[in-house]
Amino acid sequence: MGPLKLLKSSFKNIFRNRMRSLLTSLGIIIGVGSVIVMVAIGDGSRIQIESQIASMGTNLITVMPRRGAGMANRLSKADSEKLRDEASYIMAVSGIRQRNFNIIGGDGNWSALVMGVEPDYLIIRNWNMLEGDFFEEEHLAARSKVAVLGATVASQLFGERDPIGYSVRIGTHHFRVIGVLERKGVGAMGNDQDDVVMVPLDTALTRLSQTRILNSIALSVIREDLMSQAQREVEIILRESHNIGPTTTPSFDIMNMADIIATAAKTSRMLTNLLAAIAGVSLMVGGIGIMNIMLVSVTERTREIGIRMAVGARRKDILFQFLLESIILSLIGGIIGILFAILVCNFLTTFMATPTHINPLVIIISALFAAVVGIFFGYYPARKAAGLYPIDALRYE
């Protein structure tokens, strides 16, 4: 029997019992679909997390005071200035003093995070201006009462109006709005990054907080491959600034954004692999279902096998036909499973706001795995069919 005739005969036998064939492929459909959906959800979550973390800054290093017994908040603007002057791997530095305030202006009032920062902060956070200007060094030196609004604050206070030139009250002080930040979106911690007002650091320290202490220092490294060297350099400079010996626990923590991204990606990959492995069990169950039905089919078609052998069919013809039917059943289930997974992913993204990302490589691997399942679980029934003796098969009732 030629290949085309063999293929035609296999399809004819499969579609002769359409419902049974569909139910037989159901395990493969669910297995392939589950694997693709689970991996797509995992990849979508990983991409979203990486994007949100990356939106926090370009090659970001954050220095924060360490909390605990005997640990005091000792970060000051002098530390940020020393890092700016001495760190060779650092491109931009900004001290940060932040606190929630009730902002009054425009059409009402709004509670938002007010951040005292330095001009380099926009470079560190890879943030652009939507309109207006950011404050400069002269604003810091003069402790000017100027403010730059995040998109959420601008919308809540001024609606569709242009807020530039208007005055807002922060605490007991009136600030003139000089700019609006480009919308940044939700951060890695689920917070609205646009719900913020930025003012010059010196203004925040003297007028709003009456302190010289910083909440943190943000730094941007020249290149991503220099993150480790930069982190070590920052620690050395701050130990010197605080007179802390090399064996003493420092009063600050240094967080490397590249490490955070790598950890988040690793965790996401582990979760994705776990979900894919669980979904892969359905493929094995589907394969067992195919083997079971093919064994039933061999029993039902024993006389047919005997007749074909009697008129000249070889054992390998019988073997190839049953094996091909098993592969076709598995592939049909795989194709339906792929289409089902694409529909589910589109539904999740459109209506459930769940991020998904379908990797074409996963689709190809799933289809190939479905074919392998068909071969693996179809071989035994095919071999059993090919091993029948023609006379015994003809006598079978």
Side-chain angles (χ1 to χ4, degrees):
M1 185 181 290
L4 290 178
K5 192 172 183 181
L6 183 63
L7 189 64
K8 182 178 178 181
S9 176
S10 298
F11 272 107
K12 182 179 178 181
N13 287 319
I14 289 172
F15 287 104
R16 183 183 299 163
N17 297 291
R18 294 181 180 83
M19 183 56 67
R20 189 172 73 177
S21 297
L22 179 61
L23 294 175
T24 302
S25 300
L26 194 58
I28 301 297
I29 293 171
I30 295 173
V32 170
S34 298
V35 168
I36 295 174
V37 170
M38 293 301 179
V39 173
I41 292 174
D43 283 349
S45 299
R46 175 182 55 80
I47 291 170
Q48 185 183 55
I49 291 170
E50 290 178 354
S51 175
Q52 289 174 344
I53 293 176
S55 72
M56 294 176 66
T58 304
N59 301 337
L60 177 65
I61 287 179
T62 303
V63 182
M64 300 188 70
R66 179 171 290 179
R67 307 289 183 181
M71 297 296 178
N73 187 334
R74 299 179 57 193
L75 293 179
S76 65
K77 190 178 178 185
D79 293 320
S80 67
E81 290 174 345
K82 186 175 178 64
L83 287 169
R84 184 181 292 106
D85 294 337
E86 299 181 14
S88 57
Y89 296 112
I90 301 301
M91 174 174 65
V93 180
S94 174
I96 300 172
R97 180 70 196 184
Q98 60 187 33
R99 179 183 159 192
N100 282 301
F101 280 92
N102 195 50
I103 317 297
I104 299 174
D107 297 327
N109 65 82
W110 184 253
S111 179
L113 180 67
V114 176
M115 298 182 65
V117 297
E118 298 178 77
D120 279 352
Y121 189 71
L122 288 193
I123 298 173
I124 297 168
R125 291 293 309 277
N126 194 26
W127 212 329
N128 299 316
M129 297 296 298
L130 179 64
E131 54 183 326
D133 301 304
F134 203 65
F135 39 82
E136 300 176 353
E137 288 294 339
E138 51 263 34
H139 292 111
L140 271 72
R143 298 173 183 174
S144 302
K145 292 192 287 186
V146 293
V148 175
L149 307 182
T152 298
V153 177
S155 174
Q156 291 294 333
L157 293 181
F158 296 95
E160 299 297 324
R161 285 185 295 162
D162 184 358
I164 295 178
Y166 284 90
S167 177
V168 295
R169 196 178 80 186
I170 304 174
T172 59
H173 298 275
H174 290 271
F175 286 74
R176 179 170 56 88
V177 178
I178 62 172
V180 178
L181 293 164
E182 191 177 73
R183 188 172 292 279
K184 196 80 166 174
V186 178
M189 306 303 293
N191 59 304
D192 182 2
Q193 298 182 90
D194 303 305
D195 195 9
V196 66
V197 176
M198 295 185 189
V199 301
L201 177 60
D202 294 67
T203 306
L205 292 173
T206 57
R207 299 183 187 275
L208 297 179
S209 300
Q210 293 83 45
T211 183
R212 299 174 61 185
I213 303 302
L214 302 178
N215 293 111
S216 61
I217 300 174
L219 309 98
S220 181
V221 181
I222 297 172
R223 297 198 315 269
E224 186 176 348
D225 60 315
L226 298 174
M227 293 289 278
S228 297
Q229 296 94 312
Q231 190 168 346
R232 286 194 296 269
E233 183 182 52
V234 168
E235 182 177 353
I236 291 170
I237 293 172
L238 288 178
R239 280 181 178 273
E240 179 185 331
S241 176
H242 294 182
N243 297 315
I244 300 174
T247 59
T248 305
T249 302
S251 59
F252 52 84
D253 287 315
I254 303 174
M255 294 185 294
N256 184 333
M257 192 55 62
D259 291 342
I260 295 174
I261 293 174
T263 301
K266 182 179 179 181
T267 303
S268 180
R269 280 195 299 271
M270 290 177 60
L271 180 60
T272 300
N273 293 337
L274 176 63
L275 293 174
I278 294 172
V281 174
S282 297
L283 280 173
M284 302 303 294
V285 174
I288 293 171
I290 287 177
M291 182 170 65
N292 183 49
I293 292 299
M294 292 306 298
L295 286 172
V296 172
S297 180
V298 169
T299 303
E300 290 178 345
R301 295 159 61 187
T302 299
R303 285 180 61 83
E304 174 194 329
I305 294 169
I307 293 171
R308 289 185 60 189
M309 285 182 170
V311 296
R314 295 167 295 180
R315 293 188 183 276
K316 69 175 184 179
D317 294 327
I318 304 298
L319 176 70
F320 286 155
Q321 176 160 358
F322 278 87
L323 190 59
L324 185 59
E325 288 178 18
S326 175
I327 295 171
I328 290 172
L329 274 174
S330 189
L331 282 176
I332 289 174
I335 292 170
I336 296 174
I338 291 169
L339 296 176
F340 172 74
I342 292 172
L343 289 175
V344 170
C345 288
N346 287 335
F347 175 82
L348 290 174
T349 302
T350 304
F351 298 102
M352 305 294 291
T354 302
T356 59
H357 177 262
I358 299 178
N359 189 337
L361 183 61
V362 174
I363 292 179
I364 294 171
I365 291 174
S366 297
L368 290 175
F369 193 74
V372 170
V373 167
I375 295 172
F376 182 80
F377 287 98
Y379 180 74
Y380 174 70
R383 185 178 177 182
K384 183 178 180 181
L388 292 173
Y389 287 100
I391 295 176
D392 293 337
L394 286 170
R395 290 175 177 176
Y396 185 81
E397 294 294 338

